Amino acid sequence: IKGEKMKTIKLGNKLVGDEQQTFVIAEIGINHQGDINIAKQLIDEAKDCGADAVKLQKRTISRILTKEGLEMSYDNRNSFGKTYGEHKHALELSESDYRELLDYCKQLDIQFSASGWDEESIDFLDELGVQFFKMASADLTNFPLLEHTAKKNKPMILSTGMANMSIVKQAVEHVEQFNQKIAILQCTSTYPAKFDEINLNVLHTYKAEFPNAIIGYSGHEQGIAIPPVAVALGAKIIERHFTLDRTMKGGDHAASLEPQGFAKMVRDIHHIEEAMGVFQKEMQESEAPIFKK
């Protein structure tokens, strides 16, 4: 629209924002089961599906869980250990795994990123050479971690699940003191999210409220319809959980997309981008012979 200044941030080698293609992140999270070979398979599939980036989750388990949390009994069909601490340790990749996966992504020309859940993880990812940081919804109120990350001066993507507008504003204002390269994702943190709790109209609110930020959507709902609609409403980043098989053992697989669905979602996103077109109504060149007939 005339008079508006273009907003973009650079995520690795891609410009993201106004008049740019939607940046699609395949959120692998912990769906690699703690196995580097499954992680590589997921990266291969994400690349084939047309994702721009893959994202993992990096945690220092002893830092992010209390003693009670570490020792809590965790006995269910998705568990990888008797206690929650054992379960979480089993799903962590080693630092050497991360280095290998970053190199693997470079060879495939797909961006590698991870959300760091504590200061040590952020420092490790920064030294590793990730091009941008993704902050989990769970850390939107973790101001020390937001500040620590913002001071790395790399673009930051903030997910806003489990928050109200006041929390989102406080988080954004805090980050903006140290870093202006911000993206904000509408998100509902239930797995899978109910359609009547997704609230895509919040994208309009975010665009009005945060004119200097890039706006996007992070989803854990079922099906592939929602992200393309988010793009039609102005989302410039789409993040979607990704798995090889939705029936695999683990808590996130059921709310993830398999490769076939993810590829269709990416296809639909790019079709929607083309279809949005221009604001003025005109007869299309291809319509002229039909009009004549």
Side-chain angles (χ1 to χ4, degrees):
I1 298 168
K2 280 178 185 164
E4 280 194 9
K5 70 178 173 69
M6 293 296 171
K7 297 193 300 284
T8 54
I9 56 175
K10 200 131 189 258
L11 298 182
N13 58 0
K14 296 211 170 177
L15 269 181
V16 181
D18 294 340
E19 296 196 349
Q20 306 299 322
Q21 262 203 335
T22 305
F23 190 83
V24 180
I25 302 170
E27 160 66 310
I28 290 169
I30 51 173
N31 284 348
H32 51 64
Q33 317 292 73
D35 183 332
I36 189 170
N37 293 314
I38 296 176
K40 285 181 176 177
Q41 253 182 294
L42 281 157
I43 292 165
D44 287 338
E45 293 285 358
K47 174 68 180 174
D48 287 347
C49 289
D52 298 290
V54 293
K55 190 184 84 61
L56 276 66
Q57 296 171 12
K58 181 81 181 82
R59 298 170 172 87
T60 308
I61 302 301
S62 58
R63 269 295 304 276
I64 67 157
L65 289 169
T66 61
K67 188 168 183 293
E68 292 82 359
L70 286 165
E71 293 172 358
M72 182 179 77
S73 174
Y74 196 68
D75 186 19
N76 60 55
R77 76 173 199 88
N78 289 321
S79 173
F80 286 81
K82 288 192 183 72
T83 66
Y84 194 60
E86 282 176 21
H87 167 76
K88 280 298 185 195
H89 274 293
L91 292 172
E92 278 299 307
L93 294 168
S94 70
E95 293 193 351
S96 64
D97 288 341
Y98 269 83
R99 290 190 184 90
E100 194 174 326
L101 290 174
L102 179 76
D103 289 340
Y104 194 72
C105 286
K106 281 180 181 165
Q107 289 164 29
L108 288 178
D109 190 30
I110 186 169
Q111 297 247 16
F112 178 83
S113 188
S115 43
W117 288 58
D118 53 85
E119 284 81 355
E120 286 100 318
S121 296
I122 291 291
D123 290 344
F124 169 71
L125 293 168
D126 187 41
E127 286 155 25
L128 187 69
V130 300
Q131 302 288 305
F132 62 91
F133 292 109
K134 162 75 200 299
M135 308 310 290
S137 293
D139 282 315
L140 201 63
T141 54
N142 185 348
F143 282 18
L145 184 64
L146 293 179
E147 183 173 326
H148 185 84
T149 309
K151 286 176 175 172
K152 302 291 185 191
N153 202 32
K154 290 178 178 176
M156 282 175 74
I157 302 173
L158 308 175
S159 259
T160 61
M162 302 178 285
N164 59 25
M165 196 61 188
S166 167
I167 291 171
V168 177
K169 276 188 189 169
Q170 287 174 52
V172 172
E173 281 166 16
H174 192 71
V175 170
E176 277 182 335
Q177 295 174 59
F178 313 99
N179 191 331
Q180 303 296 309
K181 300 181 287 256
I182 300 176
I184 304 165
L185 309 186
Q186 165 60 348
C187 177
T188 303
S189 295
T190 47
Y191 297 77
K194 294 182 195 162
F195 291 106
D196 63 354
E197 293 185 342
I198 287 172
N199 296 318
L200 287 180
N201 280 323
V202 169
L203 292 166
H204 293 304
T205 308
Y206 282 179
K207 275 164 71 176
E209 198 64 51
F210 308 113
N212 299 318
I214 306 300
I215 305 304
Y217 174 71
S218 174
H220 334 102
E221 71 285 340
Q222 291 179 323
I224 63 171
I226 302 301
V229 176
V231 168
L233 294 175
K236 293 296 179 183
I237 297 171
I238 294 292
E239 177 185 77
R240 199 66 175 72
H241 275 258
F242 185 60
T243 184
L244 297 172
D245 179 352
R246 293 179 63 243
T247 64
M248 279 170 92
K249 177 181 165 180
D252 289 353
H253 295 285
S256 303
L257 291 179
E258 293 172 344
Q260 190 181 6
F262 200 96
K264 285 180 178 172
M265 178 195 75
V266 174
R267 174 203 68 192
D268 290 352
I269 283 170
H270 294 320
H271 285 170
I272 294 286
E273 286 172 333
E274 287 184 69
M276 292 305 286
V278 297
F279 284 88
Q280 65 271 26
K281 175 62 180 164
E282 291 173 340
M283 185 193 290
Q284 301 302 301
E285 223 176 292
S286 60
E287 293 178 306
I290 318 293
F291 181 72
K292 191 177 176 192
K293 189 165 91 176

